Amino acid sequence: MNKRLRVFVGVVTCVGALASLATAEEVKVGVDNKFVGLTADKPYIYVIHDGSSVKVQRVQDPNYELSGYYAKTIRPCPPHCLKPISPSPDVETYGEVEIFNFMETKLRDGSGVLIDARTPSWYKKGTIPGSINIPFPQFTKEPDSPEMAQLLEQFGARERGEIGFFTSLLEKWGIVDTRYKTENWDFTDAKDLLLFCNGPDCGQSPRAIRGLLAADYPADKIKYYRGGMRMWEFWGLTTIIPDTEKEQ
């Protein structure tokens, strides 16, 4: 198993305690105290990143402005052309609020993985708390390659092997649920994956998603954060610099 994913899955079991932390500190979101929350009823949330609790909230400086690379709106096209709202019609696109919910549900109970699909050089510059870095080229291997098989297994998929006659017959008759089963893989217990990269003009996470779909990963278990790091930083949300030496 990929070491980063193993660490992530191992620590996610302790995240349930963070729910009480979020409610223990009473913060009133509104004009009275001038606190800028994530949503009208959610001031901040906690996630686990590399074994440590990270508080995800917005910058409280009213003069905050996006600067640096993500403030640049004009980049050469190609390759920085605006991408469709989703890499595939069957893949759901997420905004920031949906990511907060994903963090507090799927990420917290270990049934989901937040994936920074950018190359390591980009990942080192800063990422979304709770994410792990799996560069998009790893998802673009041939669907039947050993590398792709290893990746699918990391996410909870299981190779089916030889299917018996009666099992095959029951599946053909619709008696056995085959919604998450293919000829070669059983995705029943596969995790929900939420992928992102640099933003609406970044093709790295869309390529990773198309690679997963080519390997028959269920589309309803794949989510796409189109806004990526550009919109995450635009809203002044918590960004962390990964301890890459610790993760290797």
Side-chain angles (χ1 to χ4, degrees):
M1 179 182 285
N2 180 285
K3 183 178 292 185
R4 290 185 293 270
L5 184 59
R6 185 167 62 248
V7 172
F8 176 79
V9 174
V11 301
V12 78
T13 55
C14 72
V15 186
L18 298 180
S20 59
L21 292 177
T23 56
E25 302 177 31
E26 292 296 333
V27 175
K28 183 179 179 181
V29 180
V31 178
D32 292 342
N33 66 352
K34 295 185 169 67
F35 185 87
V36 181
L38 299 179
T39 66
D41 58 355
K42 194 187 301 291
Y44 44 75
I45 59 177
Y46 287 91
V47 298
I48 291 293
H49 188 97
D50 198 21
S52 299
S53 174
V54 178
K55 187 177 185 178
V56 177
Q57 65 178 33
R58 294 178 66 182
V59 171
Q60 297 301 305
D61 181 0
N63 296 315
Y64 170 81
E65 292 183 353
L66 186 64
S67 61
Y69 174 84
Y70 296 115
K72 297 179 180 179
T73 58
I74 305 301
R75 307 288 294 174
C77 172
H80 301 281
C81 302
L82 293 175
K83 304 300 184 289
I85 194 67
S86 176
S88 169
D90 297 323
V91 172
E92 186 176 2
T93 299
Y94 272 14
E96 291 73 33
V97 174
E98 288 77 19
I99 293 182
F100 303 151
N101 293 335
F102 185 89
M103 287 175 165
E104 291 192 300
T105 55
K106 301 290 186 179
L107 205 57
R108 180 169 292 172
D109 65 19
S111 63
V113 184
L114 179 59
I115 300 173
D116 186 332
R118 299 175 299 165
T119 56
S121 61
W122 278 108
Y123 175 70
K124 292 176 184 177
K125 295 177 181 179
T127 191
I128 297 175
S131 69
I132 60 171
N133 182 218
I134 305 181
F136 74 94
Q138 295 188 33
F139 294 91
T140 59
K141 305 294 184 182
E142 290 297 322
D144 58 353
S145 67
E147 294 86 354
M148 182 58 77
Q150 183 179 21
L151 197 60
L152 297 180
E153 289 175 346
Q154 289 177 10
F155 299 139
R158 293 179 298 154
E159 285 196 80
R160 299 196 69 187
E162 186 175 349
I163 303 173
F165 172 77
F166 288 107
T167 300
S168 178
L169 201 60
L170 292 174
E171 290 182 357
K172 182 178 180 180
W173 289 345
I175 298 175
V176 175
D177 185 7
T178 60
R179 180 175 50 156
Y180 291 128
K181 295 179 180 179
T182 67
E183 182 178 349
N184 299 315
W185 289 94
D186 183 349
F187 292 99
T188 303
D189 297 322
K191 299 180 183 296
D192 281 13
L193 310 179
L194 172 52
L195 294 88
F196 68 93
C197 51
N198 272 335
D201 61 345
C202 177
Q204 296 181 36
S205 54
R207 287 183 62 183
I209 289 172
R210 287 192 287 269
L212 285 167
L213 293 173
D216 292 327
Y217 208 94
D220 65 349
K221 287 178 176 278
I222 303 174
K223 316 299 177 185
Y224 170 49
Y225 177 34
R226 182 175 181 268
M229 290 304 301
R230 183 185 298 275
M231 293 307 299
W232 189 262
E233 293 205 358
F234 173 82
W235 293 114
L237 292 163
T238 303
T239 301
I240 62 173
I241 304 298
D243 185 354
T244 51
E245 291 186 0
K246 183 177 179 180
E247 293 183 349
Q248 290 176 354

